[in-house]
Amino acid sequence: MTSSDAAVAEAETPARARILMGTTLYGRIAEAYFEEAATLDALRYAEWVGWLAEDVRYTCPQRMTRSLKDWDKSIDRRVMHFDENHKTLSARVRRLHGNSAFAEDPPSRTRRLITNIRVLEGEDEGSYAVTSYFLLTRSRFENATLMLMSGERRDVIRDLGERFELASREIILDQAVLGMPNLAVFL
């Protein structure tokens, strides 16, 4: 798709309403994101799986270094660090609670900082497109140096009334080369 094709497609797409900070809905969504981070940092992975929709898609495409004129090609969705669904995420959680999670036993000490939450009405009734920035700090063993990972998460969530569920997450890392030995933690 050329840039002019993208501009035409964007012009033909109806604008979605932004959910503003300070509204009750925005507060509920932000609280769900802060709770998700706390749940993961507390290693409550089985509880985290409850936040995922049965049809969830959880991806992390490769970041490439490109010149300014090719900046729009810096995310290569043909190559993924991971491309998961509910079944594979649930299997990873079961494995973490089993006897063969060598990459995470002992577990990493993590802190997820979630910021810049922006919410738009979704394409479907009761769904929302949520973009957020994250900073993950990770400490392993007795190392004095923290590993860092930052990026943007592009999510679709659904409002189920009493709670939200994550329908999709695309994680766009800032690093082209990962600053840690593996991605055994959830982003």
Side-chain angles (χ1 to χ4, degrees):
M1 178 182 286
T2 68
S3 59
S4 63
D5 291 339
V8 169
E10 187 174 314
E12 292 174 354
T13 303
R16 294 185 281 174
R18 179 129 183 223
I19 308 303
L20 298 178
M21 186 184 311
T23 62
T24 301
L25 178 57
Y26 182 93
R28 286 181 58 225
I29 291 169
E31 184 61 31
Y33 275 82
F34 300 148
E35 187 59 34
E36 178 197 19
T39 298
L40 289 170
D41 288 342
L43 309 178
R44 297 189 326 255
Y45 303 125
E47 186 179 325
W48 176 72
V49 170
W51 150 254
L52 307 176
E54 286 295 321
D55 61 343
V56 69
R57 183 155 183 229
Y58 186 84
T59 64
C60 184
Q62 176 73 40
R63 168 70 85 175
M64 310 296 289
T65 301
R66 296 288 181 250
S67 64
L68 182 59
K69 69 179 175 69
D70 291 326
W71 181 251
D72 61 332
K73 297 179 184 115
S74 67
I75 301 166
D76 186 353
R77 290 179 176 85
R78 297 170 300 160
V79 180
M80 299 280 187
H81 290 291
F82 50 80
D83 185 352
E84 299 198 69
N85 58 36
H86 196 279
K87 184 177 179 178
T88 61
L89 290 166
S90 296
R92 278 180 63 190
V93 166
R94 283 192 304 277
R95 189 169 164 272
L96 285 170
H97 290 294
N99 296 325
S100 63
F102 304 115
E104 278 300 302
D105 191 11
S108 295
R109 291 172 295 276
T110 59
R111 194 69 57 215
R112 289 164 181 81
L113 306 176
I114 309 301
T115 67
N116 296 56
I117 298 171
R118 294 172 315 281
V119 183
L120 295 174
E121 286 182 350
E123 293 179 6
D124 299 321
E125 180 77 25
S127 74
Y128 301 93
V130 182
T131 303
S132 62
Y133 295 167
F134 73 92
L135 175 66
L136 171 78
T137 66
R138 184 179 183 193
S139 176
R140 297 278 296 154
F141 305 108
E142 303 306 321
N143 295 333
T145 304
L146 281 175
M147 293 175 270
L148 299 174
M149 182 166 288
S150 63
E152 177 179 277
R153 302 183 313 178
R154 300 171 183 175
D155 298 347
V156 173
I157 63 170
R158 296 182 189 121
D159 190 347
L160 302 180
E162 71 285 352
R163 68 179 186 88
F164 294 96
E165 69 177 4
L166 181 67
S168 70
R169 172 167 290 160
E170 180 182 55
I171 301 155
I172 307 297
L173 300 175
D174 292 332
Q175 296 109 311
V177 177
L178 299 182
M180 52 187 66
N182 61 49
L183 282 175
V185 296
F186 299 104
L187 304 172

